[in-house]
């Protein structure tokens, strides 16, 4: 009897165990796995640009609504949305950052992720800056380095007629945009305005100030770089110690016994130079009214303002023609070209010192074979001792050492329509930038042609860079 009971007990026990195992089999659940696609391995964006990513999610069973999202850049969460719409932080450093997209199934607390890289670059690090004129106002355009880059444009930011572009290292390599109304100092990376110099910010405020010329890249006196010429013919020296322009130069007095006052018309073509650090620099201006050079200097004893260009010496001989072009073509050697569009007379002093001292009448040579016109743009190439200029849409060249010879054609391949508004050599002097007003209707009528400065071959054409080009800068 006991044996029978034992067998029955064993059978019942095993039967219970089998039922339990069957029940456990029915409680198993398949995992709803998620796969992520649609995210590149690497992205490159400039500061201010948007990074938009719309990943694709695939589910092994069905789409689950209980999901949480997280986008990380360098370990920092920037979004919790399914799709990323992120404006690159302007304060982030240029670098390559590790990024991650994380999808969490909140039901099972299972996470899935996809990693990628974001390379951040400065939007305005290197490239071409073009200053142009549109309806009497200034327009600035920038093309970043790269074959597929396009021009970015700023309009309505710079009041007045455009004059020049610079990137002076004495101002932390910031960009300066000079117009007839003001000088704008822009942050070299963000291209945002840091300071504006106009009539209201001068040491002696001038509400009606109109600027004819400004340059920051040459020494003017023993410490400071840069000076400005107003339409009134006054010279203002930039003072870096206080970050302002000095009070304007007074009406110059000739350094003669009679101290004769000068009635003059100062040209916007000038030469700024310094001999050595610690020595006084000078400003060589030109009086278009009489037709002679004026040698400005700073002599603190001449007035109570130590920053003024308060001394002037008239240079002989009297040329009698307006100054047309002035440049340096060799160490310590300059060339000056004079041209009167009314009489069509042109003269040249092919070699003189930076202060135009000791020039004789015999050095002033008439150019009988010139091809200048009132619209000609002129640039002096110090690497090859040539004068490059245009007559109409043709580019000519003359050797500084033989200016009386007939100029030769450098390039006649430019479009026959339009008007050349700018000539400028590249920093390495191998290329010549030619700005052209195409005459097209609309806002972007300006084109820039890049020519080989030796052969005249057209290397590159940039169309619709802005308005009529006035200046160009190879920004670094």
């Amino acid at each position: 009897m006991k044996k029978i009971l034992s067998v029955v007990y064993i059978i019942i026990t095993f039967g219970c165990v089998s039922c339990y195992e069957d029940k456990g089999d029915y409680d198993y659940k398949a995992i709803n796995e998620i796969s992520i696609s649609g995210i590149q391995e690497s992205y490159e964006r400039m500061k201010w640009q948007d990074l938009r990513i719309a990943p694709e999610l695939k589910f092994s069973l069905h789409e689950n609504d209980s999901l949480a999202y997280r986008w990380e850049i360098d370990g920092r969460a920037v979004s919790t949305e399914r799709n990323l719409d992120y404006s690159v932080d302007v304060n982030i450093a240029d670098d390559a950052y590790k990024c991650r997209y994380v999808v969490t199934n909140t039901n099972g607390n299972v996470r899935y992720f996809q990693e990628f890289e974001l390379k951040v670059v400065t939007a305005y690090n290197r490239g071409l800056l073009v200053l142009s004129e549109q309806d009497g106002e200034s327009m600035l355009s920038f093309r970043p380095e790269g074959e597929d880059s396009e021009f970015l444009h700023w309009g309505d930011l710079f009041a007045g007629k455009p004059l020049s572009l610079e990137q002076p290292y004495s101002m932390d390599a910031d960009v300066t945009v000079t117009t007839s109304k003001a000088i704008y100092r822009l942050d070299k990376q963000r291209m945002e305005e840091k300071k504006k110099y106009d009539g209201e910010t001068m040491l002696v405020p001038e509400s009606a100030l109109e600027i004819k010329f400004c340059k920051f890249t040459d020494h003017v006196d023993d410490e400071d770089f840069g000076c400005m010429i107003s339409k009134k013919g006054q010279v203002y020296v930039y003072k870096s110690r206080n970050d302002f322009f000095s009070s304007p130069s007074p009406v110059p007095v000739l350094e003669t016994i009679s101290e004769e006052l000068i009635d003059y018309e100062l040209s916007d073509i000038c030469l700024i130079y310094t001999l050595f650090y610690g020595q006084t620099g000078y400003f060589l201006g030109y009086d278009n009214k009489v037709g002679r050079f004026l040698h400005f200097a700073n002599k603190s004893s001449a007035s109570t303002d130590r920053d003024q260009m308060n001394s002037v010496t008239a240079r002989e001989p009297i040329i009698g023609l307006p100054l047309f072009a002035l440049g340096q073509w060799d160490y310590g050697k300059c060339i000056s070209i004079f041209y009167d569009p009314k009489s069509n007379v042109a003269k040249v002093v092919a070699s003189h010192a930076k202060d135009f001292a000791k020039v004789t009448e015999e050095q002033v040579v008439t150019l009988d074979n010139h091809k200048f016109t009132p619209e000609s743009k002129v640039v002096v190439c110090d690497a090859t001792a040539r004068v490059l200029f245009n007559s109409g849409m043709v580019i000519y060249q003359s050797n500084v050492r033989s200016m009386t010879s007939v100029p030769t054609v450098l390039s006649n391949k430019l479009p026959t329509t339009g008007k050349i508004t700018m000539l400028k050599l590249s920093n390495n002097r191998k290329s010549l930038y030619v700005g052209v007003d195409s005459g097209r209707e609309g806002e972007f009528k300006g084109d820039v042609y890049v020519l080989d400065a030796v052969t005249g071959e057209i290397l590159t054409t940039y169309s619709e860079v802005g308005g009529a080009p006035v200046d160009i800068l190879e920004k670094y």
Side-chain angles (χ1 to χ4, degrees):
M1 186 65 182
K2 289 182 179 179
K3 292 182 179 179
I4 294 174
L5 292 173
S6 297
V7 172
V8 173
Y9 176 78
I10 292 171
I11 292 173
I12 293 173
T13 302
F14 275 102
C16 291
V17 172
S18 179
C19 290
Y20 176 80
E21 288 180 344
D22 288 341
K23 184 178 180 180
D25 286 342
Y26 287 110
D27 284 342
Y28 289 146
K29 293 183 179 179
I31 298 175
N32 189 16
E33 295 184 348
I34 302 173
S35 61
I36 304 172
S37 61
I39 299 179
Q40 299 173 194
E41 291 184 3
S42 180
Y43 296 87
E44 180 175 307
R45 290 293 186 274
M46 296 184 291
K47 296 176 183 179
W48 295 285
Q49 282 191 322
D50 293 331
L51 176 61
R52 295 186 176 93
I53 304 176
E56 296 180 8
L57 302 181
K58 292 185 178 180
F59 303 85
S60 60
L61 296 178
H62 56 81
E63 185 166 350
N64 192 328
D65 293 332
S66 300
L67 299 177
Y69 311 98
R70 179 183 172 92
W71 294 88
E72 299 175 355
I73 297 179
D74 197 30
R76 178 173 60 93
V78 297
S79 175
T80 56
E81 300 294 327
R82 174 166 175 164
N83 296 336
L84 179 64
D85 189 353
Y86 169 70
S87 295
V88 179
D89 190 347
V90 298
N91 296 313
I92 196 171
D94 289 8
D95 206 345
Y97 295 92
K98 290 184 178 180
C99 307
R100 176 182 288 189
Y101 176 51
V102 182
V103 181
T104 303
N105 186 333
T106 57
N107 286 334
N109 199 28
V110 181
R111 294 192 306 167
Y112 303 87
F113 61 88
Q114 178 73 45
E115 294 184 337
F116 60 98
E117 181 184 73
L118 172 61
K119 185 178 180 181
V120 178
V121 296
T122 299
Y124 311 112
N125 191 19
R126 288 179 175 273
L128 288 178
L129 271 173
V130 178
L131 182 64
S132 60
E133 181 175 352
Q134 180 68 28
D135 298 327
E137 296 295 322
S138 300
M139 176 182 289
L140 188 63
S141 308
F142 177 71
R143 181 185 184 275
E145 282 188 342
E147 293 182 1
D148 299 327
S149 298
E150 296 182 354
F151 276 93
L152 310 173
H153 306 279
W154 292 268
D156 303 325
L157 295 180
F158 311 100
K161 184 179 178 180
L163 297 178
S164 61
L165 276 175
E166 290 183 278
Q167 192 176 10
Y169 69 86
S170 60
M171 301 180 78
D172 299 325
D174 286 337
V175 173
T176 59
V177 179
T178 299
T179 74
S180 60
K181 297 292 186 182
I183 301 159
Y184 299 85
R185 180 174 177 176
L186 309 181
D187 183 275
K188 62 184 175 184
Q189 291 188 329
R190 301 182 186 180
M191 293 299 289
E192 294 177 340
E193 182 181 315
K194 293 176 68 173
K195 186 165 184 178
K196 181 172 73 172
Y197 308 91
D198 59 11
E200 299 302 325
T201 61
M202 297 297 170
L203 183 62
V204 179
E206 296 183 48
S207 58
L209 176 69
E210 186 170 349
I211 301 170
K212 290 179 61 176
F213 167 90
C214 184
K215 190 172 185 180
F216 288 102
T217 49
D218 285 324
H219 244 299
V220 179
D221 58 23
D222 57 343
E223 294 180 351
D224 295 294
F225 288 78
C227 79
M228 175 186 68
I229 301 175
S230 70
K231 193 171 184 180
K232 294 180 180 179
Q234 294 175 295
V235 181
Y236 304 68
V237 178
Y238 175 72
K239 309 308 295 183
S240 59
R241 64 176 182 270
N242 291 320
D243 194 23
F244 64 73
F245 283 87
S246 70
S247 53
S249 60
V251 176
V253 177
L254 285 178
E255 292 183 338
T256 61
I257 298 177
S258 61
E259 293 189 343
E260 174 190 356
L261 290 174
I262 299 176
D263 181 17
Y264 69 103
E265 181 186 320
L266 195 60
S267 170
D268 57 354
I269 302 173
C270 60
L271 189 67
I272 309 170
Y273 70 96
T274 294
L275 300 178
F276 301 101
Y277 282 97
Q279 295 189 12
T280 301
Y282 301 95
F283 174 87
L284 185 65
Y286 190 80
D287 176 13
N288 275 335
K289 189 177 184 106
V290 176
R292 62 183 173 189
F293 278 105
L294 300 176
H295 189 213
F296 287 78
N298 174 266
K299 293 186 177 181
S300 57
S301 60
S303 69
T304 57
D305 188 344
R306 63 172 180 162
D307 296 331
Q308 284 182 317
M309 291 297 232
N310 47 28
S311 173
V312 63
T313 303
R315 290 302 190 204
E316 299 295 339
I318 294 177
I319 309 298
L321 300 177
L323 181 62
F324 197 55
L326 174 61
Q328 182 172 324
W329 60 272
D330 199 355
Y331 182 77
K333 296 180 181 178
C334 299
I335 180 173
S336 295
I337 300 173
F338 312 89
Y339 174 64
D340 181 10
K342 295 180 180 179
S343 62
N344 199 35
V345 174
K347 296 182 180 181
V348 64
V349 177
S351 181
H352 63 80
K354 293 181 178 180
D355 58 359
F356 205 74
K358 300 179 181 179
V359 174
T360 64
E361 292 281 357
E362 289 72 24
Q363 291 176 261
V364 183
V365 178
T366 300
L367 301 177
D368 295 324
N369 297 312
H370 79 82
K371 293 184 178 294
F372 299 131
T373 70
E375 291 79 28
S376 293
K377 305 298 178 183
V378 186
V379 64
V380 179
C381 181
D382 53 0
T384 57
R386 289 179 303 151
V387 175
L388 309 178
F389 65 96
N390 73 291
S391 180
M393 296 300 291
V394 179
I395 309 295
Y396 289 91
Q397 59 184 346
S398 293
N399 191 299
V400 171
R401 296 179 177 87
S402 56
M403 287 295 294
T404 55
S405 300
V406 177
T408 60
V409 174
L410 175 65
S411 176
N412 57 4
K413 304 299 183 182
L414 296 171
T416 55
T417 58
K419 177 182 177 182
I420 292 178
T421 58
M422 177 200 74
L423 290 182
K424 190 168 185 178
L425 288 162
S426 62
N427 291 342
N428 61 12
R429 304 300 190 263
K430 293 182 179 180
S431 300
L432 177 67
Y433 294 105
V434 182
V436 174
D437 181 349
S438 67
R440 289 188 299 266
E441 295 293 331
E443 189 174 21
F444 303 132
K445 60 182 179 179
D447 300 330
V448 172
Y449 296 84
V450 186
L451 275 58
D452 186 301
V454 177
T455 67
E457 177 188 357
I458 298 177
L459 304 176
T460 308
T461 301
Y462 300 118
S463 300
E464 299 184 352
V465 301
V470 172
D471 200 1
I472 193 167
L473 175 69
E474 296 175 344
K475 185 183 179 302
Y476 58 88

